[in-house]
Amino acid sequence: MLFRSLELLGDKTAARSLANKAKVPIIPGTKDAIDDIRKVKDAAASIGYPLILKAAFGGGGRGMRVVDSPDQLEARYGEASREAAAAFGNGAVFIERFIRRPRHIEVQILGDRHGNVVHLYERDCSVQRRHQKAVEVAPAVSLDPHVRNEICDAAVRIARTAGYYNAGTVEFLLDTDTNDWYFIEVNPRIQVEHTVTEMVTGVDLVRSQILVAQGHQLHGAEIGMP
């Protein structure tokens, strides 16, 4: 089951389909990975500009290019595809509508092998350089409580739909112009930023991962989640 959920969440387009199944909003974009410029042009015409090209089989800011107009598309696609192929061994991309003024919110989740999943609230990682997070803040400052609840609930729903257990992070973009929010991706692993959540919640995530792997329940005496 774990390997199956890793396949679902490690593939960005599969993760978008999973979010759709879990009734979590996603940014308008392509359903499948694309590795042909003709298909890229057709998809871009349908989605509209500005848009962003993203590596379908990797992350960390690699293989990402913003495209503001049709005349930039072919060159930017070539750059993104080559970078993705060099970094991840696959040059396929997917396309999303580009949000100009987003907040990047990620939710820490923890699941066990008995179907229990909890969230440990959110981190705001909007301060970035070259698509790399530079500052993490928890809890997110001035985040609408209703939006916070919706995003955290959505993160848990996605993890349950995938049958995921262990620590993980579900990432979202919040459009500051409309207050609409959208699923981006899941990192099915513990991130370096996990210590920010540990400081805020007092939960030792690495210890919890080990106990989950041993078969303990989140709400049992060993882990002791509320």
Side-chain angles (χ1 to χ4, degrees):
M1 177 61 78
L2 179 59
F3 291 111
R4 175 57 179 161
S5 62
L6 288 175
E7 288 178 357
L8 287 171
L9 301 176
D11 179 337
K12 301 298 179 63
T13 53
R16 282 169 56 88
S17 296
L18 183 75
N20 195 43
K21 181 179 178 181
K23 302 189 185 308
V24 173
I26 58 176
I27 300 172
T30 53
K31 181 179 179 181
D32 300 310
I34 302 175
D35 59 3
D36 181 280
I37 185 59
R38 291 169 297 180
K39 294 180 180 179
V40 168
K41 289 180 177 179
D42 290 343
S46 175
I47 294 167
Y49 295 85
L51 57 84
I52 185 166
L53 305 168
K54 295 184 176 181
F57 298 98
R62 301 286 187 88
M64 294 177 64
R65 293 294 187 280
V66 176
V67 184
D68 292 305
S69 59
D71 60 294
Q72 298 176 346
L73 181 61
E74 189 162 351
R76 297 280 168 85
Y77 165 69
E79 293 170 6
S81 182
R82 288 191 296 272
E83 188 171 87
F88 312 117
N90 191 319
V93 302
F94 67 100
I95 305 174
E96 289 180 344
R97 184 173 297 157
F98 183 62
I99 298 176
R100 286 286 184 197
R101 289 164 35 87
R103 288 182 71 178
H104 193 149
I105 307 294
E106 58 186 23
V107 179
Q108 180 69 57
I109 57 168
L110 187 63
D112 65 22
R113 302 174 78 169
H114 306 276
N116 301 305
V117 181
V118 297
H119 70 78
L120 293 159
Y121 299 98
E122 81 289 346
R123 302 185 293 261
D124 188 324
C125 50
S126 302
V127 179
Q128 301 186 9
R129 182 175 183 270
R130 296 180 180 176
H131 306 296
Q132 293 288 310
K133 301 161 190 174
V135 177
E136 295 263 344
V137 179
V141 178
S142 301
L143 183 64
D144 184 320
H146 179 67
V147 171
R148 172 180 285 114
N149 290 337
E150 285 188 334
I151 288 177
C152 289
D153 288 347
V156 170
R157 206 156 63 244
I158 288 172
R160 283 182 176 149
T161 302
Y164 184 75
Y165 60 89
N166 210 319
T169 306
V170 187
E171 303 195 15
F172 301 87
L173 279 187
L174 173 65
D175 189 332
T176 57
D177 291 325
T178 64
N179 219 33
D180 293 326
W181 55 270
Y182 306 94
F183 166 80
I184 312 174
E185 63 183 8
V186 179
N187 287 300
R189 56 181 169 80
I190 198 160
Q191 292 181 275
V192 294
E193 303 94 328
H194 76 277
T195 53
V196 177
T197 294
E198 289 184 332
M199 292 177 69
V200 171
T201 64
V203 175
D204 186 329
L205 288 168
V206 175
R207 176 179 179 272
S208 297
Q209 284 189 121
I210 294 170
L211 292 171
V212 163
Q214 292 175 342
H216 294 291
Q217 296 192 45
L218 293 182
H219 306 293
E222 293 82 4
I223 300 180
M225 295 298 301

